[in-house]
């Protein structure tokens, strides 16, 4: 493994990434490789990076998902001990994922203080943070759909989504599905037992509210309307020809707001990350976190502090480029690549997530488009204009450009 790391880094790889949270499992519920790798193994891989003199070690640590994601209480503290040891002993940068817990009391402030002390001793360690809540989307377009366990829903489940929603709107079908008890089977999933989640489920709505207030929860809406929460959930799912989504914010939503996340984003110690566009793609679409940083945090937020446009851009460009050794980009300067986005910031917005079937074999994934990007320029050539691809293809394989 160390030999493979050396070879890859010499060819231009950006580093090594490992996942250790027990919340990361395969389709059968098994833990992903590397979950319980010994510190000595990770130290050897980091030593290979030291030998070559380039690369970043990126870590999804045990404990980052807290107990709500399946991690053991206190495991993050134990993970940080070896992360700090390796950081102090290596010349290479380390970055590890940190999220604000589902309740007050997540100890990230203490973790940040420990990282600062290690960095003062010569380490280069950067906590990596997201720009919005980490969770999942429930709906007819998502793999997370608690109605899928009810026989009368299964009778219409193979219909195209719009037809399925129209079938579910028929009073007799609605009555049957809502009256049935779920038949839970298969590997554990978050939508198997939804009754206790209603106070933590929120309609995403046409305004795409990723920082909802408590009065917008499914439980609160049901109480206000004097109906069962399952009825509210059902009606959200079938709205707009089945395109309605319900947000389940699991992390980065401590106390029901982004106040903790705002503090992490404002800390120069942190680096931006977690814009996941390739994993969990049937239940989330987090590649849009970059646009969300520029809209919610640099323009629209009303519940607390925001970021300046300049700081948001820095967090998306020069800061991560420098961390990962991409010294030929990230700033507008002579000799750098002319990779630019021309943005109409007032018009910048996200579209609702949608299910598309463009993966091999026709498999589906959630995508989230945007508007307000006037042009996207790569190496000085316009590849997207007014949201449409041009015929220009100047891009190539990204390789590390420095040590």
């Amino acid at each position: 493994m160390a030999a493979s790391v050396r070879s890859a880094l010499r060819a231009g790889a950006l580093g090594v990434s490992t996942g250790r949270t027990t919340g990361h499992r395969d389709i059968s519920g098994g833990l992903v490789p590397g979950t319980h790798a010994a510190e000595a193994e990770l130290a050897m891989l980091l030593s290979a990076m030291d030998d070559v003199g380039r690369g970043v070690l990126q870590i999804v640590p045990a404990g980052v998902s807290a107990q709500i994601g399946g991690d053991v209480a206190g495991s993050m503290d134990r993970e940080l001990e070896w992360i700090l040891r390796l950081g102090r002993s290596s010349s290479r940068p380390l970055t590890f994922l940190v999220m604000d817990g589902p309740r007050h009391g997540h100890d990230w402030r203490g973790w940040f203080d420990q990282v600062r002390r290690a960095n003062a001793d010569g380490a280069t360690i950067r906590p990596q943070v997201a720009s919005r809540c980490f969770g999942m989307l429930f709906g007819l377009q998502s793999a997370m759909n608690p109605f899928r366990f009810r026989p009368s829903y299964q009778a219409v489940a193979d219909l195209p989504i719009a037809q399925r929603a129209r079938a579910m709107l028929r009073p007799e079908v609605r009555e049957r599905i809502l009256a049935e008890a779920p038949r839970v089977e298969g590997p554990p999933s978050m939508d198997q037992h939804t009754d206790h989640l209603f106070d933590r489920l929120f309609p995403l709505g046409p305004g795409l509210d990723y920082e909802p207030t408590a009065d917008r929860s499914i439980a609160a809406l049901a109480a206000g309307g004097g109906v069962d929460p399952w009825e509210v959930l059902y009606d959200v799912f079938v709205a707009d020809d089945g395109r309605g989504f319900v947000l389940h914010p699991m992390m980065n939503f401590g106390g029901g707001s982004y106040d903790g996340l705002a503090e992490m984003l404002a800390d120069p110690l942190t680096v931006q990350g977690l814009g996941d566009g390739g994993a969990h793609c049937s239940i989330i679409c987090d590649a849009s976190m970059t646009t969300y940083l520029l809209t919610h945090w640099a323009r629209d937020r009303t519940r607390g502090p925001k970021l300046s446009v300049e700081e948001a851009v820095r967090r998306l460009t020069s800061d991560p480029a420098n961390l990962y050794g991409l010294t030929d980009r990230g700033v507008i300067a002579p000799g750098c690549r002319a990779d630019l986005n021309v943005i109409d910031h007032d018009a910048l917005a996200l579209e609702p997530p949608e299910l598309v079937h463009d993966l091999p074999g026709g498999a589906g994934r959630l995508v989230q488009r945007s508007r307000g990007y006037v042009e996207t320029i790569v190496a000085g050539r316009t590849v997207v204009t007014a949201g449409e691809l041009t015929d220009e293809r100047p891009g190539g394989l990204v390789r590390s450009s420095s040590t």
Side-chain angles (χ1 to χ4, degrees):
M1 291 169 64
S4 295
V5 168
R6 292 188 190 95
S7 175
L9 291 171
R10 290 186 179 115
L14 300 185
V16 175
S17 180
T18 183
R20 298 168 57 80
T21 171
T22 54
H24 280 174
R25 296 177 179 266
D26 62 27
I27 196 169
S28 302
L31 294 169
V32 299
T35 301
H36 299 303
E39 180 181 339
E41 179 177 317
L42 297 169
M44 183 165 286
L45 299 183
L46 190 59
S47 177
M49 297 167 67
D50 279 319
D51 291 345
V52 179
R54 64 170 60 196
V56 177
L57 179 61
Q58 180 171 282
I59 305 153
V60 180
V64 70
S65 297
Q67 290 170 277
I68 192 173
D71 282 331
V72 177
S75 53
M76 185 69 187
D77 294 308
R78 293 186 291 274
E79 288 285 272
L80 189 58
E81 291 177 3
W82 67 259
I83 290 173
L84 296 175
R85 280 196 296 270
L86 292 187
R88 285 185 166 102
S89 66
S90 172
S91 64
R92 305 314 312 150
L94 282 74
T95 177
F96 67 99
L97 182 59
V98 180
M99 292 191 283
D100 191 25
R103 297 286 185 265
H104 290 305
H106 216 42
D107 298 325
W108 57 265
R109 292 183 185 86
W111 302 334
F112 284 17
D113 288 341
Q114 294 181 62
V115 169
R116 288 188 178 90
R117 289 195 290 272
N119 287 348
D121 294 337
T124 305
I125 304 174
R126 302 287 302 275
Q128 190 170 142
V129 300
S131 65
R132 68 181 182 215
C133 60
F134 176 81
M136 57 189 69
L137 297 171
F138 287 22
L140 299 188
Q141 297 187 90
S142 171
M144 291 288 107
N145 174 4
F147 294 107
R148 66 191 174 108
F149 302 107
R150 305 190 182 205
S152 293
Y153 175 82
Q154 294 168 6
V156 300
D158 292 333
L159 293 173
I161 289 174
Q163 294 182 34
R164 194 186 321 164
R166 288 193 288 270
M168 293 173 69
L169 281 169
R170 294 203 296 266
E172 68 277 11
V173 176
R174 184 179 192 275
E175 184 177 351
R176 282 200 307 270
I177 293 176
L178 288 172
E180 289 172 346
R183 297 177 183 174
V184 176
E185 55 188 22
S189 63
M190 290 295 296
D191 60 347
Q192 287 181 353
H193 305 284
T194 308
D195 295 85
H196 68 290
L197 293 178
F198 286 128
D199 65 336
R200 288 179 280 152
L201 296 178
F202 303 86
L204 191 59
L208 305 181
D209 190 359
Y210 287 96
E211 191 183 5
T213 51
D215 62 326
R216 298 300 303 162
S217 72
I218 295 293
L221 294 173
V227 298
D228 188 275
W230 283 103
E231 296 181 59
V232 178
L233 190 69
Y234 190 102
D235 293 340
V236 173
F237 278 19
V238 300
D240 194 19
D241 279 340
R243 291 192 287 264
F245 280 106
V246 168
L247 175 69
H248 175 32
M250 298 168 61
M251 305 291 290
N252 287 339
F253 203 62
S257 80
Y258 284 170
D259 289 347
L261 185 55
E263 191 174 337
M264 290 194 288
L265 287 170
D267 194 323
L269 181 68
T270 65
V271 66
Q272 208 64 42
L274 208 68
D276 202 335
H280 319 295
C281 54
S282 64
I283 59 174
I284 64 172
C285 183
D286 283 348
S288 56
M289 280 193 187
T290 49
T291 300
Y292 189 77
L293 188 75
L294 293 169
T295 53
H296 185 74
W297 288 102
R299 191 188 64 199
D300 298 337
R301 189 170 191 248
T302 60
R303 295 185 63 187
K306 296 190 289 189
L307 296 176
S308 68
V309 173
E310 294 85 353
E311 174 62 9
V313 169
R314 185 193 70 83
R315 291 188 68 87
L316 294 173
T317 55
S318 61
D319 192 30
N322 289 337
L323 175 65
Y324 287 95
L326 298 172
T327 55
D328 62 340
R329 67 198 71 200
V331 295
I332 301 173
C336 288
R337 286 176 57 92
D339 292 349
L340 306 166
N341 273 312
V342 181
I343 300 171
D344 181 347
H345 195 231
D346 290 338
L348 190 63
L350 288 171
E351 303 285 357
E354 61 178 305
L355 178 65
V356 300
H357 294 275
D358 61 356
L359 294 177
R365 65 185 178 115
L366 295 177
V367 301
Q368 191 168 19
R369 307 179 197 279
S370 59
R371 60 182 185 273
Y373 290 97
V374 179
E375 285 192 2
T376 297
I377 301 167
V378 175
R381 292 156 64 184
T382 299
V383 297
V384 179
T385 182
E388 297 295 329
L389 288 168
T390 70
D391 292 330
E392 297 285 354
R393 298 290 183 273
L397 181 65
V398 175
R399 298 178 186 269
S400 178
S401 55
S402 77
T403 58

